[in-house]
Amino acid sequence: MGKREKRDAASKALRELQVDLSRLQNHLIKSGEKVLVLFEGRDASGKDGTIKRIVEHLSPRETRVVALSKPSDRDQKSWYFQRWVPHLPAGGEIVLFNRSWYNRAGVERVMGFCSDEEYDEFLTTAPLFEQLLAHCGITIVKYYLDISRREQKRRLKERRDDPLKQWKLSPIDDTATKHWDDYSAARNEMLARTHTPFAPWTMVRGDEKSEARLNVIRDLLTRFDFGGKDRARDLPDPNVVFPYDKAALTNGQIAA
């Protein structure tokens, strides 16, 4: 299959999955379920593009994308999770976090924006916070988009060279590849300590953008039972999307 045929097939598959997403949303509105989807990953791992494909044809009234900016002085004096609480989903809503409270276990940890004590407290309390949310009826779905060092370097260069992607650039981007090993260590610790039965991590191999996006949507759809869902499109590729397991850190499934 040539590039054009692959592109056309991917576009067709995406449209079909987006139809199922619309059906899912209708189900959630009627049932009053609350859905929170967290997207984490290295810089340039594909979070923006994946979220865009998910929400593209959903109702903006019941769908929200949250991407918080740098914490204010007041935020820094507040309970760490406090600034995310107002953005949690109400009944019938889907809320997608483009980065979340896990900033503390990633960027803040690597760049020294939090103390060791704050970091340790976060890894202890994050599972408790998520358990409370789950107990109160919020379905939490956590995706970690994983890419190779080579692919991250390529995408960051593309950002710098493309005038339409300048808004994506930040001072942190310049240090992303330099701190690759530090981010890997922080990622591994975060996954190990916050992967729980009520809020497990799902890994996404993201070097192939189109495949990653399609399989994230497939995975999301498998988590709900709703009328009109096309069962033939249910299962994601397990080589692209799979539950976190410590063994993945050493068997090549997760970028070292």
Side-chain angles (χ1 to χ4, degrees), residues 41-42 105-107 109-110 119 144 146-149 152 176-192 203 244 249 254-256:
R42 299 178 191 267
V107 173
R109 174 61 169 173
V110 173
Y119 170 74
Y144 187 92
D146 193 54
I147 56 174
S148 64
R149 186 197 298 249
Q152 183 190 53
T177 53
K178 297 177 184 177
H179 289 281
W180 177 272
D181 291 339
D182 296 327
Y183 275 110
S184 293
R187 174 203 61 195
N188 297 350
E189 183 74 7
M190 177 192 78
L191 294 172
M203 308 302 297
Y244 165 75
L249 299 174
I254 298 177

Side-chain angles (χ1 to χ4, degrees), residues 21 24 27-28 33-39 139-144 195-204 215-226 229 231 233-236 241-244:
L21 282 172
L24 169 60
H27 162 76
L28 296 176
E33 294 178 57
K34 309 166 187 175
V35 179
L36 177 64
V37 187
L38 275 56
F39 285 90
T139 298
I140 306 171
V141 184
K142 300 192 301 192
Y143 291 111
Y144 187 92
H195 179 70
T196 61
F198 39 85
W201 281 103
T202 298
M203 308 302 297
V204 182
N215 280 284
V216 165
I217 297 175
R218 290 186 183 112
D219 180 81
L220 185 60
L221 290 168
T222 65
R223 297 168 184 268
F224 303 91
D225 189 16
F226 57 95
K229 179 167 58 172
R231 301 290 173 178
R233 293 196 297 270
D234 272 359
L235 298 179
V241 176
F242 52 92
Y244 165 75

Side-chain angles (χ1 to χ4, degrees), residues 122-152:
F122 169 78
L123 290 178
T124 299
T125 57
L128 300 175
F129 178 60
E130 291 171 358
Q131 184 175 18
L132 174 62
L133 297 183
H135 178 76
C136 294
I138 296 177
T139 298
I140 306 171
V141 184
K142 300 192 301 192
Y143 291 111
Y144 187 92
L145 275 63
D146 193 54
I147 56 174
S148 64
R149 186 197 298 249
R150 180 178 180 179
E151 180 63 13
Q152 183 190 53

Side-chain angles (χ1 to χ4, degrees), residues 15 35 40 53 56 102 114 137 141 163 174 182 201 207 221:
R15 176 174 173 75
V35 179
E40 295 292 337
R53 271 63 178 187
E56 189 172 11
Y102 284 103
C114 67
V141 184
D174 293 331
D182 296 327
W201 281 103
D207 276 11
L221 290 168

Side-chain angles (χ1 to χ4, degrees), residues 81-170:
F81 297 97
Q82 186 167 323
R83 71 190 191 115
W84 281 281
V85 171
H87 302 285
L88 295 173
E93 289 185 340
I94 303 175
V95 176
L96 303 96
F97 280 10
N98 187 344
R99 294 196 185 277
S100 65
W101 41 81
Y102 284 103
N103 274 344
R104 175 137 294 177
V107 173
E108 291 189 23
R109 174 61 169 173
V110 173
M111 302 306 296
F113 296 156
C114 67
S115 66
D116 290 343
E117 291 76 14
E118 290 171 328
Y119 170 74
D120 289 335
E121 180 181 13
F122 169 78
L123 290 178
T124 299
T125 57
L128 300 175
F129 178 60
E130 291 171 358
Q131 184 175 18
L132 174 62
L133 297 183
H135 178 76
C136 294
I138 296 177
T139 298
I140 306 171
V141 184
K142 300 192 301 192
Y143 291 111
Y144 187 92
L145 275 63
D146 193 54
I147 56 174
S148 64
R149 186 197 298 249
R150 180 178 180 179
E151 180 63 13
Q152 183 190 53
K153 186 176 181 180
R154 186 193 69 78
R155 291 184 188 179
L156 291 174
K157 181 180 184 303
E158 184 181 72
R159 283 185 184 181
R160 289 189 289 270
D161 295 343
D162 188 343
L164 296 179
K165 295 183 178 180
Q166 295 301 301
W167 63 273
K168 289 188 173 185
L169 293 174
S170 74

